[in-house]
Amino acid sequence: MRDAYHEELDALTGRLVEMTRLVRSAISRATTALLDADLHLAESVISQDEEVNRIFAEIETTIFDLMARQQPVAVDLRMIIAALRMGTDLERMGDLAEHVAKITRLRHPDSAIPPEIRATILEMGQIAERLVTKTGSCIASRDVESALELEADDDAMDRLHRRLFTILMAPDWKYGVEPAIDVTLIGRYYERYADHAVRVAHDVVYLVTGSRPQDSGSF
């Protein structure tokens, strides 16, 4: 009975790693769709968000069932709490990739991204992919040291987010209000995507150590 219980706990980890793969693919394809004004690719991101939602629903169901049947304590309880929090953040990351894709769809056949901003958006997409790839590895390995390294990538995302505002506020901005709103929203989506990845890393540290990085001063 206990072996089956721990197999279910291990399966939670596998589902979370699968979610990281899906939301990585989503943000990668959403970035490409955005930069290329690719409606077909954007639609694929939007439609496939349901798969992320489905896996998260499975995680929730498993967690509530384990809580009711097993009354977990100590490390097992931390695993269940962390899995629920991580799943919530990963589901939100999928939503943010979907939001990027929806702006592509809204502006099609035009591009929502002015030429001067393309390089910044591309770099934001690359950082987002790097963050979620590291996040998946941290979940699978429970590597605290790697989890603590995600903050540096998040700092890079924050710098790019500030760069967007510098461009938008410059006197020579020539694209008007609507593109400025689009770029503001898109920048926020990438910035929040990175924040959620770091929150998942926080929960990996909590799972392994029993305390959160901000409590120990590591972040």
Side-chain angles (χ1 to χ4, degrees), residues 23 26-27 29-31 33-34 41-49 53 91-107 112-113 181-193 196:
V23 301
I27 199 65
R29 289 179 293 121
T31 302
L34 182 67
L41 192 57
E43 293 287 6
S44 76
V45 174
I46 294 165
S47 63
Q48 290 176 23
D49 188 54
N53 296 339
E91 190 272 337
R92 183 59 183 147
M93 290 164 74
D95 289 344
L96 290 163
E98 182 186 18
H99 293 339
V100 173
K102 284 183 174 179
I103 289 182
T104 300
R105 182 173 67 182
L106 180 66
R107 300 304 172 205
I113 304 301
I181 292 171
D182 287 343
V183 170
T184 299
L185 289 173
I186 289 164
R188 180 61 171 162
Y189 296 151
Y190 282 106
E191 190 262 344
R192 288 300 298 151
Y193 186 100
H196 283 289

Side-chain angles (χ1 to χ4, degrees), residues 132-152:
V132 73
T133 299
K134 290 181 179 179
T135 297
S137 177
C138 291
I139 293 171
S141 65
R142 300 188 183 183
D143 185 337
V144 170
E145 184 175 346
S146 294
L148 295 173
E149 292 173 357
L150 266 72
E151 187 71 9

